[in-house]
Amino acid sequence: SKFIPTTLLLVKNLIKKNLQAHKNKKGTKYLLKGQKIILDRIEEKHLPELLKWRNDPNNRQWYREHRILTIEHQKKWWQEKIINGDGTWYYFVVKPIEELERIIASTGLIYVHPIYKKAEIAFQIGDDRYKTREYELDILRTLFRYGFNDLGLNRLWIESIIENPIINLYEELGFKKEGVQRQVYYKDGVFKDSVVMSLLRAEWNND
């Protein structure tokens, strides 16, 4: 359902307030900073790399999206959700602090509801060299601080195919399993269950 104009105004005000660029010691602008990474704006030049990660079979097996995407799909998504969106998507590329020209992952808070104060988490590390617990935790903790502290959200949630090993990562971060949706996806000729997990502001360690 579409937001009423008052809600749209609330969302746009949140964007102005919370997506101000910061500067590191070298004067390079970024949005959000973790211990080893920054979360930065998605630019058009990043789209081919994001597309490659999305279509990688090792990643795509866990996605709700059933199609092989094209660069046209990626550009349409970028224009509609990131550039001209209604403010319900806060989506970033992830860069290692020691190499700011490289993108290694993408993450974000999507379907943000400014009244109910909840958002779904999107997250993938595309560069295999950075698929370590240290980077996974740093990226997500940086995103959570932004969601809870800056956006004032109360609930962050995920939905994942139940065999996805990333569920262990979210459990480590304090997420609770809320329930299982039975046979909601069809992958490789098999119906798959998914699990819904969430983290509430009151449960968050703020680390």
Side-chain angles (χ1 to χ4, degrees):
S1 62
K2 293 185 178 180
F3 287 115
I4 60 174
T6 301
T7 306
L8 277 172
L9 182 60
L10 285 172
V11 173
K12 288 178 179 179
N13 286 339
L14 278 174
I15 293 173
K16 284 184 180 180
K17 179 180 178 182
N18 297 305
L19 286 187
Q20 298 297 321
H22 306 284
K23 289 187 177 182
N24 64 14
K25 291 180 180 178
K26 295 181 180 179
T28 304
K29 291 184 178 180
Y30 61 87
L31 292 178
L32 303 165
K33 183 176 181 295
Q35 292 182 346
K36 301 179 74 66
I37 53 87
I38 64 167
L39 308 187
D40 212 346
R41 288 185 175 88
I42 297 178
E43 301 177 41
E44 187 170 7
K45 67 181 181 180
H46 299 138
L47 299 183
E49 190 75 2
L50 297 179
L51 179 65
K52 183 179 74 173
W53 298 344
R54 287 285 299 181
N55 284 336
D56 184 331
N58 292 325
N59 298 328
R60 198 164 60 85
Q61 65 178 318
W62 308 120
Y63 294 153
R64 291 182 295 216
E65 176 61 70
H66 63 277
R67 302 170 297 173
I68 299 290
L69 300 181
T70 66
I71 193 64
E72 288 74 24
H73 290 133
Q74 199 75 12
K75 287 180 179 179
K76 184 173 185 288
W77 165 82
W78 180 66
Q79 286 288 344
E80 291 182 355
K81 297 294 187 182
I82 310 303
I83 301 301
N84 300 314
D86 60 8
T88 62
W89 281 56
Y90 294 78
Y91 211 89
F92 310 96
V93 289
V94 182
K95 302 176 181 180
I97 287 175
E98 75 276 4
E99 195 174 356
L100 290 177
E101 294 305 309
R102 177 186 297 277
I103 64 170
I104 62 170
S106 62
T107 192
L109 300 170
I110 62 177
Y111 307 116
V112 173
H113 199 297
I115 304 301
Y116 300 152
K117 298 190 179 302
K118 62 180 182 176
E120 185 178 2
I121 296 164
F123 172 59
Q124 69 168 356
I125 294 182
D127 191 323
D128 289 342
R129 292 169 296 178
Y130 294 87
K131 289 182 177 178
T132 68
R133 212 39 141 219
E134 183 179 22
Y135 275 93
E136 290 170 341
L137 292 172
D138 193 16
I139 293 166
L140 288 174
R141 285 169 175 160
T142 302
L143 184 69
F144 296 172
R145 284 194 296 272
Y146 178 64
F148 287 131
N149 288 343
D150 296 326
L151 296 184
L153 298 178
N154 181 64
R155 180 177 183 268
L156 303 179
W157 66 278
I158 67 158
E159 182 203 4
S160 177
I161 291 175
I162 206 162
E163 297 91 352
N164 192 341
I166 203 169
I167 290 171
N168 297 325
L169 170 63
Y170 286 101
E171 287 180 327
E172 186 175 336
L173 286 162
F175 278 64
K176 305 291 192 298
K177 290 181 180 177
E178 296 185 340
V180 172
Q181 300 185 97
R182 298 183 300 159
Q183 298 189 4
V184 289
Y185 300 112
Y186 190 72
K187 296 277 187 177
D188 301 321
V190 178
F191 285 103
K192 300 279 188 178
D193 295 347
S194 75
V195 61
V196 176
M197 306 176 69
S198 70
L199 179 69
L200 303 180
R201 182 183 180 88
E203 300 165 340
W204 177 50
N205 289 328
N206 196 15
D207 49 11

